[in-house]
Amino acid sequence: MSSFEHVFIRTQLGAADLAAELSALLGLELTRDGEGGVYLSRPASAGRPGVVGGELYGNRYAYPLNDPEEESLIDGYDLVWDIGYSRRDGDVQLDEARRLFEEMTTKGWWPVVLLQGLDLLLACWDIRRGYQEFPPGTSPDVDHRALWVPYRQPPRV
């Protein structure tokens, strides 16, 4: 299980270009490491101590083959933003990830998916279908396909 929440983003931008746009759009601090990594963060909201955010990178979780048995909602999304909380409180981290995700849905235009860890599908948004939250326990994998198929983005070839 992941120690982060994850926002999957469909865009034609690379991680560095999207990070610059998200930084301006959401008032995030953009930092880069010496190896080309890009990170977005900001102070936690609601007067909480600590920082929320993480690395933005290419989607390495997508299944590369067109196999219906391995299909996942995240297959058609290009980038992943890891969202962590510096104070290591899981409930606060999840709340902060939801806040960032909702800001992206109101200010952005990219199709996005929010996962708790890599296991649970929490919400999706795209400009055509709007915002959708999912029942507790919903997986982004094929076993819950009927719930998320409207937000399925075809993989890029």
Side-chain angles (χ1 to χ4, degrees):
M1 180 172 186
S2 175
S3 60
F4 296 103
E5 315 319 328
H6 304 277
V7 175
F8 287 79
I9 307 159
R10 180 161 173 97
T11 176
Q12 295 183 358
L13 300 173
D17 291 334
L18 180 62
E21 287 197 24
L22 285 172
S23 175
L25 190 67
L26 303 179
L28 301 167
E29 180 180 346
L30 170 60
T31 57
R32 299 170 197 265
D33 65 18
E35 299 171 11
V38 292
Y39 299 83
L40 294 166
S41 63
R42 72 176 183 197
S45 61
R48 297 173 177 144
V51 175
V52 62
E55 186 175 9
L56 182 69
Y57 54 91
N59 182 2
R60 61 180 174 245
Y61 304 109
Y63 192 71
L65 303 175
N66 191 12
D67 181 353
E69 295 298 315
E70 297 295 329
E71 182 180 23
S72 175
L73 173 60
I74 65 173
D75 290 344
Y77 292 80
D78 309 287
L79 299 174
V80 181
W81 182 18
D82 291 345
I83 300 179
Y85 175 54
S86 63
R87 304 289 289 230
R88 305 285 190 236
D89 180 317
D91 292 333
V92 172
Q93 177 173 290
L94 182 57
D95 180 63
E96 292 288 345
R98 283 184 180 276
R99 289 171 187 256
L100 286 165
F101 180 80
E102 289 172 7
E103 284 183 52
M104 289 179 73
T105 67
T106 59
K107 296 178 181 179
W109 46 88
W110 313 279
V112 289
V113 173
L114 175 62
L115 292 183
Q116 183 177 5
L118 288 170
D119 305 315
L120 299 175
L121 174 59
L122 301 178
C124 292
W125 180 87
D126 76 31
I127 200 160
R128 293 171 292 154
R129 291 171 196 87
Y131 183 86
Q132 170 72 45
E133 289 191 1
F134 294 90
T138 300
S139 166
D141 299 321
V142 73
D143 53 332
H144 289 128
R145 184 181 195 280
L147 295 174
W148 53 253
V149 73
Y151 290 89
R152 174 77 162 100
Q153 301 290 321
R156 296 212 169 132
V157 283

